[in-house]
Amino acid sequence: GMHMQANEDLERTGLRFASFLSVAYDVAPQTAEDWSWRIAPELLIKAYGVGLRAVAHLAGFEPTAGDSSPEFGAFGALAEASYRFRSPFELAARYAYIGIRNNLRRDQQAFAATSDAGEALGRLEGQHEVGLGLNTYLIGHSFEWQNDIVWLHNDFVDGVQNGARFRSQLQLRL
């Protein structure tokens, strides 16, 4: 068997893998807020303390002008790797990307011009996130301390924006 709720390899045994597919369709999406459909295939691989996860995301939107059918608007990917030491520590790395297609960006710009959504809408081309984390499992997954530092990179039609984020959270599950 394989512990499916977490990326890390708690069992520390031989090679195991699982694949998943998530599909969703929103029958009444909020204009300019909700995806009308989403598809996300996922692969999880674990062996000897190493956990690997890869996820792809495809999303469609309802155009804000007219009664046209949903269009493909964004794509993304997530890759995570972790190593669970025999001690209560885990080292993890993550890369995530979201790409906005031109048709969605044009639709967002048209919507922003006719609403109070702000001029930032429709400028984003893509987002990148690269992170490293150190997690401490004080009492298994019931009581854990998660820490990560992340570099954020946003591509806009008129330039780039870089940033960093540090997160620390103590989690208690009852």
Side-chain angles (χ1 to χ4, degrees), residues 7-96:
N7 288 350
E8 81 270 0
D9 185 20
L10 295 173
E11 297 89 0
R12 302 185 63 81
T13 60
L15 178 65
R16 287 124 31 239
F17 68 92
S19 61
F20 313 94
L21 178 64
S22 171
V23 178
Y25 182 78
D26 191 337
V27 295
Q30 286 288 89
T31 301
E33 290 184 25
D34 296 332
W35 297 115
S36 58
W37 59 265
R38 297 167 299 286
I39 299 173
E42 182 173 349
L43 178 64
L44 178 61
I45 301 172
K46 295 182 179 188
Y48 307 108
V50 174
L52 304 170
R53 179 183 303 265
V55 184
H57 299 273
L58 305 173
F61 70 102
E62 298 270 346
T64 57
D67 293 326
S68 57
S69 59
E71 295 182 28
F72 174 44
F75 54 93
L78 170 70
E80 295 177 316
S82 65
Y83 182 74
R84 175 75 183 259
F85 297 94
R86 291 196 183 273
S87 66
F89 299 105
E90 174 194 30
L91 186 61
R94 176 180 61 247
Y95 172 75

Side-chain angles (χ1 to χ4, degrees), residues 112-126:
T114 62
S115 71
D116 59 357
E119 61 184 55
L121 197 60
R123 292 181 43 236
L124 184 64
E125 292 182 328

Side-chain angles (χ1 to χ4, degrees), residues 149-164:
I149 187 161
V150 175
W151 171 67
L152 305 162
H153 176 84
N154 293 324
D155 292 313
F156 292 99
V157 293
D158 54 354
V160 299
Q161 179 185 44
N162 290 296

